[in-house]
Amino acid sequence: MKKQAGFTIVELVVVIALLGILAAVALPRFLNVTDDAHKASVSGTGGALRSAVALVKAQAVIDQVKDGDIDFDDNASTGTGGKETYVNAKGFPQGASSASASNCVVLWEDVLQEGRPSAATAAGSDYKVTYASSTCTFAYQADTTLKITYKPSTGEVTVP
């Protein structure tokens, strides 16, 4: 007589119980992955903005430009053919001579590379831009509690 191979009912119940316990413990951890991804995205974008501000400031110091446009081409003194951005009297990028929400959008587009998240003063973009108390605020629309702030007067970028 052949011995039958298979699982006993006890083994099946134990496996099902273990899978249930794992699902109860692991599932909530996986549900928070979306929140973590949003935070990481905003943090990365804020870091890119911080680096870009530092690079613009360095170029302003090198070119000795205060309260004017910096031209990012091979020969900055010619003012032709390159990408330009406005820097304030302290050499920090500002978007234009007067600070406003729309000029914060210009700043965002000037200093960040292609492929950047979109920013606008109205809804419908990745970041909604406001300007108050001498600070540009970029509110992440997928989670409005996440914001990047930039102070053109000091060059300070704050990331959550």
Side-chain angles (χ1 to χ4, degrees):
M1 190 163 157
K2 262 186 171 182
K3 187 173 181 179
Q4 290 185 344
F7 296 107
T8 66
I9 191 77
V10 173
E11 291 171 327
L12 289 174
V13 168
V14 168
V15 168
I16 291 170
L18 286 173
L19 288 174
I21 291 169
L22 284 173
V25 172
L27 191 59
R29 300 269 304 155
F30 288 118
L31 293 178
N32 289 333
V33 171
T34 302
D35 293 339
D36 292 344
H38 287 302
K39 287 177 186 173
S41 175
V42 172
S43 179
T45 303
L49 181 61
R50 183 180 291 130
S51 296
V53 166
L55 289 171
V56 170
K57 170 68 174 178
Q59 188 70 46
V61 170
I62 290 168
D63 292 347
Q64 299 178 352
V65 175
K66 291 182 179 180
D67 206 21
D69 287 328
I70 292 181
D71 192 1
F72 291 102
D73 63 1
D74 292 338
N75 186 356
S77 63
T78 64
T80 59
K83 185 169 178 83
E84 293 183 2
T85 191
Y86 182 85
V87 294
N88 60 24
K90 293 184 180 179
F92 294 111
Q94 186 169 298
S97 59
S98 63
S100 66
S102 60
N103 289 336
C104 290
V105 173
V106 170
L107 159 89
W108 181 271
E109 293 171 351
D110 281 352
V111 300
L112 294 177
Q113 294 181 350
E114 292 298 320
R116 67 188 168 271
S118 60
T121 56
S125 61
D126 296 320
Y127 288 86
K128 184 175 181 191
V129 182
T130 57
Y131 182 80
S133 304
S134 301
T135 303
C136 296
T137 302
F138 304 92
Y140 186 56
Q141 294 302 284
D143 182 351
T144 55
T145 62
L146 300 173
K147 296 177 170 79
I148 300 168
T149 60
Y150 171 64
K151 293 183 180 183
S153 60
T154 63
E156 178 185 358
V157 176
T158 306
V159 183

